[in-house]
């Protein structure tokens, strides 16, 4: 029965279309991550040139993600998703043609990466906002679990693996051509999304409670600033949302930099390993996250959903505190597995809460704000990790990060009164989706 619950979203045609297109698109994104690197190298570029192209993608993503959230709340999400896939196809097809004719230059790749980053900024909020329109509330957890399963498998494993084979056997241009094929298929599939049920809401009576900031019937001509202010105001007035985002900010700041920047040196200095061992550890984390996401999708949303989410995230960070003391690959592998599993469980619950407790006319903006918060501090964490390791022992950096996150998780749990909130706003079968009627009073 648990397995059947995880597959229930497939009973809905719109979800089958959407998840098919998403899977092919993220598979192509995984291929692009490798193809882009070797295209830069093929053009004679080095770390600086590769950083330039990667930075262009980051600027496009971070710079436009809040605008993407506003667009997802104002425009039909179906059209946004189609437009993004169309733009992805046009960019990758152009890069493929230039590469095949040996006229590709570095600035072409940088512009292409920038456009792909902008596309992600518009795609993610639209995808998050469209799910509650095409699925019953009780199937959202399973849908988020499925997405949390296919993303690491296809984007972090299968896609890069195929691109690596194409680069080695043929050339980077053929790997880019494979990415173009993926976006061509995804673009064709998303055009089968129904036009009838996916128009934007001006007022969503089923999900807008009295906590909404401003009038839900605000005219469509309201300014960009008003739209942003409404999203920020709702977040500040909603304790469980605000404190979860605060915790997310700190966890990204304390953990992402050490794991991405300093873990390779732990592998080298403490284990005597190389890049293959580091890659395998990241794969363990990704597989753990994928399995946990699928497992979470196979059961009902916990009655104590906020407690489970925050405590799972917090306790999952504890093994990170011991990384600096580990001298065994298997111990480090277990730590990364636990971190990945708890990340997968919490992320699936979090995505479901946004879709069930945030008013639909705000969902795009809140999703983009969540995305922006995570992305904004990620480069900061990476930039700080290296210089900090020059003056502070690496073991101490992991130790402080691994302890600070669980402590902050419990602070968030009690500061937002989450244990009371989740009882007052049940999300079990049959519970109303507009349970967040008075978040400012919880």
């Amino acid at each position: 029965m648990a397995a059947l619950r995880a597959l229930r979203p497939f009973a809905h045609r719109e979800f089958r279309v959407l998840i098919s297109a998403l899977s092919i698109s993220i598979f192509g994104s995984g291929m692009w991550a490798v193809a882009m690197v070797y295209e830069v190298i093929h053009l004679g570029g080095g770390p600086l040139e590769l950083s330039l192209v990667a930075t262009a993608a980051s600027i496009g993503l971070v710079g436009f993600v809040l605008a993407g959230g506003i667009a997802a709340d104002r425009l039909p999400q179906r059209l946004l998703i189609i437009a993004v896939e169309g733009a992805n196809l046009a960019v990758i097809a152009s890069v493929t043609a230039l590469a095949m004719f040996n006229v590709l230059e570095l600035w072409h790749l940088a512009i292409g990466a920038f456009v792909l980053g902008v596309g992600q900024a518009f795609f993610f909020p639209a995808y998050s906002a469209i799910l509650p329109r095409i699925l019953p509330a009780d199937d959202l957890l399973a849908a988020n679990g499925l997405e949390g399963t296919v993303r690491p498998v296809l984007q972090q494993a299968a896609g890069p693996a195929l691109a690596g084979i194409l680069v080695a056997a043929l050339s980077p241009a053929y790997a880019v051509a494979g990415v173009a094929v993926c976006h061509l298929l995804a673009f064709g599939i998303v055009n089968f999304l129904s036009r009838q049920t996916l128009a934007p809401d001006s007022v969503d009576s089923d999900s807008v409670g009295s906590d909404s900031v401003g009038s839900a019937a605000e005219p469509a001509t309201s300014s960009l600033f008003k739209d942003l202010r409404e999203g920020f105001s709702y977040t500040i007035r909603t304790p469980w949302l605000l404190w979860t985002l605060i915790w997310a900010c700190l966890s990204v700041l304390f953990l992402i930099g050490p794991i991405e920047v300093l873990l390779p040196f732990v592998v080298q200095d403490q284990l005597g390993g190389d890049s293959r061992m580091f890659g395998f550890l990241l794969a363990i984390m990704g597989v753990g996250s994928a399995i946990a996401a699928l497992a979470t999708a196979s059961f009902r949303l916990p009655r104590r959903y906020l407690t489970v989410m925050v405590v799972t995230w917090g306790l999952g960070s504890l093994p990170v505190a011991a990384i600096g003391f580990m001298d065994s690959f298997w111990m480090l592998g277990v730590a990364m597995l636990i971190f990945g599993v708890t990340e997968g469980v919490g992320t699936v619950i979090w995505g479901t809460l946004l879709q069930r407790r945030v008013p639909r006319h705000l969902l795009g903006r809140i999703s983009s704000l969540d995305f922006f918060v995570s992305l904004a501090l990620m480069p900061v964490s990476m930039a700080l990790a290296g210089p900090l390791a020059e003056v502070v022992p690496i073991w101490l950096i992991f130790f402080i990060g691994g302890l600070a996150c669980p402590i902050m998780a419990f602070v968030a749990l009690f500061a937002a009164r989450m244990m009371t909130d989740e009882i007052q706003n049940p999300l079990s079968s049959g519970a109303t989706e507009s349970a967040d009627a008075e978040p400012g009073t919880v």
Side-chain angles (χ1 to χ4, degrees):
M1 289 298 293
L4 292 178
R5 177 175 292 275
L7 299 176
R8 280 196 333 196
F10 285 106
H12 304 274
R13 176 191 176 277
E14 301 302 318
F15 179 79
R16 293 196 301 270
V17 171
L18 188 62
I19 196 66
S20 298
L22 175 68
S23 298
I24 295 172
S25 182
I26 64 176
F27 181 80
S29 297
M31 291 185 66
W32 170 254
V34 172
M36 178 267 292
V37 169
Y38 286 96
E39 271 295 356
V40 171
I41 295 173
H42 181 72
L43 295 174
L48 179 61
E49 289 76 14
L50 182 58
S51 177
L52 174 65
V53 176
T55 300
S58 298
I59 291 173
L61 179 56
V62 176
F64 285 86
V65 70
L66 293 179
I70 293 173
D73 288 336
R74 284 179 167 231
L75 303 174
Q77 291 100 19
R78 172 184 177 274
L79 294 181
L80 283 174
I81 291 172
I82 292 173
V84 168
E85 280 304 324
N88 290 343
L89 174 59
V91 167
I92 299 298
S94 299
V95 172
T96 300
L98 293 171
M100 290 294 186
F101 287 103
N102 292 316
V103 293
L104 183 68
E105 297 183 19
L106 187 67
W107 67 270
H108 295 140
L109 281 175
I111 291 177
F114 175 80
V115 175
L116 292 175
V118 173
Q120 283 186 311
F122 282 86
F123 183 92
F124 179 80
Y127 174 82
S128 297
I130 205 173
L131 280 183
R133 301 177 184 280
I134 64 177
L135 290 174
D138 286 344
D139 288 346
L140 289 174
L141 182 69
N144 287 306
L146 289 168
E147 189 265 342
T149 301
V150 301
R151 185 174 293 279
V153 171
L154 297 180
Q155 190 170 18
Q156 299 174 17
L162 179 58
I165 292 172
L166 291 174
V167 169
L170 299 169
S171 73
Y174 285 91
V176 177
V179 180
V181 171
C182 289
H183 287 300
L184 174 63
L185 292 173
F187 177 71
I189 292 172
V190 294
N191 276 277
F192 286 99
L193 286 170
S194 172
R195 293 181 174 87
Q196 279 71 34
T197 59
L198 304 180
D201 290 330
S202 57
V203 181
D204 191 332
S205 59
D206 290 337
S207 57
V208 179
S210 59
D211 59 301
S212 298
V213 179
S215 171
E218 234 176 342
T221 56
S222 63
S223 68
L224 180 68
F225 175 76
K226 282 187 176 180
D227 283 348
L228 286 174
R229 185 179 64 186
E230 187 178 15
F232 278 104
S233 297
Y234 177 82
T235 300
I236 293 171
R237 286 168 52 91
T238 310
W240 69 268
L241 180 59
L242 174 64
W243 279 95
T244 304
L245 288 178
I246 291 173
W247 182 90
C249 285
L250 292 176
S251 68
V252 167
L253 184 63
F254 278 96
L255 297 179
I256 296 301
I259 289 175
E260 294 289 340
V261 177
L262 302 182
L263 186 59
F265 295 98
V266 171
V267 170
Q268 175 182 297
D269 299 337
Q270 296 175 202
L271 278 65
D274 55 15
S275 59
R276 290 172 296 179
M277 184 178 290
F278 173 64
F280 192 63
L281 287 171
L282 293 183
I284 290 174
M285 182 176 70
V287 170
S289 179
I291 293 174
L294 184 60
T296 305
S298 301
F299 297 94
R300 294 182 182 275
L301 190 70
R303 181 168 178 264
R304 292 281 188 177
Y305 52 87
L306 290 170
T307 302
V308 170
M309 178 184 72
V310 174
V311 172
T312 298
W313 268 337
L315 294 181
S317 304
L318 275 177
V320 175
I323 284 179
F325 304 103
M326 294 178 179
D327 56 5
S328 163
F329 169 78
W330 297 111
M331 291 175 62
L332 199 52
V334 169
M336 298 304 291
L337 179 65
I338 294 173
F339 184 77
V341 166
T342 53
E343 180 72 12
V345 172
T347 300
V348 171
I349 296 176
W350 171 246
T352 306
L353 296 189
L354 290 182
Q355 291 156 358
R356 293 195 62 179
R357 292 198 59 178
V358 174
R360 286 189 186 175
H361 76 290
L362 291 172
L363 183 52
R365 276 165 284 178
I366 301 303
S367 297
S368 68
L369 179 61
D370 170 40
F371 206 21
F372 177 80
V373 163
S374 301
L375 291 171
L377 287 179
M378 193 177 296
V380 174
S381 179
M382 292 183 182
L384 290 176
L388 191 60
E390 294 293 324
V391 296
V392 176
I394 288 180
W395 69 263
L396 184 59
I397 296 174
F398 279 104
F399 184 74
I400 292 175
L403 288 184
C405 290
I407 292 172
M408 190 59 205
F410 283 95
V411 169
L413 185 69
F414 289 101
R417 299 179 61 197
M418 292 187 186
M419 290 182 287
T420 301
D421 180 282
E422 61 198 355
I423 295 301
Q424 294 179 346
N425 298 282
L427 294 179
S428 58
S429 181
T432 177
E433 288 183 63
S434 58
D436 260 341
E438 295 287 346
T441 63
V442 173

